[in-house]
Amino acid sequence: MLGASDRPLGASPAASQPPYWVDSSPVVEGWGAFFTNVGSPPLAALALLVLLPLLALVALAVALTSRGPIIHRRRVLGQHGRQFDAFKFRTMVPDADAVLHGDPELLKQFRQTHKLQHDPESARVARPRP
């Protein structure tokens, strides 16, 4: 089945996703394919080395301002419906779900807007300054 972009449509395996997704991955050929397969990994490694001091500072800030793990791992749905682990710096308190479900007013606000005006769940380093 082809969509408006002439890309194949596929069935989405996740109930929370739309029933169909459009494969929007670009077709890479020639020198572009060569660079993608050979040139990207060294550039990614170089970028990681350059960003390492900043990443270390963020990790230190999370560790010093709240208890619990520094990195949060979450299963997410990727390209072609494949699941993978996504890692990010933790911005919530470790027991955020318990905090949300322990306060009926917060839970009501979250269910209505999917946001919290004054989020008690966020870690100190992730809160906006007044």
Side-chain angles (χ1 to χ4, degrees):
M1 180 180 213
L2 295 178
S5 66
D6 291 335
R7 298 270 187 194
L9 290 176
S12 177
S16 63
Q17 297 293 328
Y20 291 97
W21 50 269
V22 177
D23 182 8
S24 61
S25 50
V27 177
V28 182
E29 299 174 338
W31 283 105
F34 174 79
F35 179 75
T36 298
N37 293 323
V38 177
S40 291
L43 284 177
L46 180 64
L48 183 62
L49 284 174
V50 169
L51 292 174
L52 203 55
L54 177 64
L55 297 173
L57 285 174
V58 171
L60 184 63
V62 171
L64 292 176
T65 58
S66 64
R67 62 178 169 63
I70 296 169
I71 302 292
H72 172 71
R73 182 177 75 181
R74 182 177 146 194
R75 292 292 284 173
V76 296
L77 196 61
Q79 188 175 17
H80 304 295
R82 289 184 284 229
Q83 290 187 355
F84 67 95
D85 288 328
F87 297 91
K88 68 174 200 160
F89 288 110
R90 183 179 50 79
T91 58
M92 304 297 279
V93 294
D95 56 347
D97 286 335
V99 171
L100 179 64
H101 291 289
D103 187 335
E105 283 298 315
L106 281 179
L107 191 56
K108 179 183 173 187
Q109 181 184 5
F110 181 75
R111 286 185 176 154
Q112 288 175 348
T113 64
H114 296 284
K115 295 182 181 195
L116 295 175
Q117 188 78 19
H118 301 287
D119 193 353
E121 300 173 347
S122 62
R124 185 171 170 216
V125 74
R127 286 188 196 131
R129 302 277 184 235

